[in-house]
Amino acid sequence: MKSIFIDKEIKYTGHQLSPHWIYKNFNVKGSAIAGFIGPVKVDLSEMVDIEDVINDEPISSDKMLNFIIEDFDVDLFNMVCIQRLFICIIKEVLEDFGAAVKRSGDDIFYNGRKLSVSIATKSITSSLIHTALNIVNTGAPVDVSSLNEIGIVDIKTFANTVMEKFTQEIEDMVFAKSKVRGVV
């Protein structure tokens, strides 16, 4: 699993949750995670979470830390497991920064308000995750918490810490499945 932090601002619209987006735009081949900062505006027509579409709950925020993960080796169930692992890693890093956060499924909460959005899906060639954390409290359709509220201002360092821990965990898992002797 490779990682890249993209230094330019990118507005997340849902189009980035597509096969080979990281490769086509940033020349990172294979399974990868990309982090970037930008506003989020996902119209219902672009949303892959059918429950949010049914409930008429589009996603928007003035500024979020976004992550796109693409993996070419896992099915959707296992990508949901990876999504939950990723959320747990984010929670750990937030706790390392001193934040008392709670996790429920693939959501992270701070002071009872939602800090994150996350979805896992499948394409023809890969499985994909989009996870984003509010950097500011503005622009969302509901009352949310934010990284700034927690006191995290160096977003790039925070993002790189999360991605480093995630890629290390994936590498450790790949090694763990290759180091055991089969049983009969």
Side-chain angles (χ1 to χ4, degrees):
M1 178 75 60
K2 300 172 194 85
S3 70
I4 182 174
F5 184 84
I6 302 150
D7 280 314
K8 70 177 188 172
E9 184 175 287
I10 299 170
K11 180 179 182 180
Y12 182 80
T13 62
H15 290 100
Q16 296 85 355
L17 191 63
S18 61
H20 303 289
W21 181 79
I22 299 170
Y23 179 29
K24 289 188 285 189
N25 291 280
F26 307 102
N27 200 29
V28 178
K29 300 171 183 83
S31 296
I33 179 172
F36 59 94
I37 295 170
V40 171
K41 175 92 170 96
V42 184
D43 294 328
L44 290 175
S45 62
E46 297 301 321
M47 294 189 57
V48 297
D49 189 326
I50 295 168
E51 185 175 353
D52 286 348
V53 172
I54 289 170
N55 293 329
D56 193 26
E57 296 174 340
I59 298 169
S60 64
S61 177
D62 288 342
K63 192 173 189 182
M64 294 187 93
L65 169 58
N66 295 275
F67 296 99
I68 299 289
I69 302 171
E70 183 170 26
D71 194 306
F72 294 91
D73 295 318
V74 299
D75 61 17
L76 184 55
F77 178 80
N78 286 314
M79 198 60 164
V80 170
C81 294
I82 290 170
Q83 175 194 27
R84 300 291 174 99
L85 172 65
F86 186 61
I87 292 294
C88 289
I89 289 169
I90 292 171
K91 181 180 183 288
E92 279 181 7
V93 174
L94 286 165
E95 290 170 341
D96 290 345
F97 277 82
V101 292
K102 303 279 187 205
R103 179 185 73 88
S104 177
D106 60 11
D107 292 319
I108 299 173
F109 295 85
Y110 179 72
N111 285 340
R113 291 172 285 128
K114 201 167 173 193
L115 175 64
S116 65
V117 295
S118 189
I119 192 70
T121 191
K122 182 104 175 107
S123 77
I124 293 171
T125 59
S126 63
S127 292
L128 298 150
I129 295 170
H130 172 248
T131 297
L133 305 168
N134 294 302
I135 295 174
V136 297
N137 299 67
T138 58
V142 296
D143 190 25
V144 296
S145 61
S146 68
L147 294 174
N148 284 349
E149 179 184 350
I150 291 171
I152 297 171
V153 292
D154 187 347
I155 303 302
K156 182 176 179 179
T157 297
F158 175 81
N160 282 323
T161 301
V162 167
M163 291 191 299
E164 182 180 319
K165 286 183 175 270
F166 175 72
T167 56
Q168 183 61 53
E169 192 73 39
I170 295 296
E171 288 172 17
D172 287 350
M173 289 167 36
V174 169
F175 175 69
K177 73 178 187 175
S178 68
K179 71 174 185 154
V180 296
R181 177 182 62 82
V183 296
V184 287

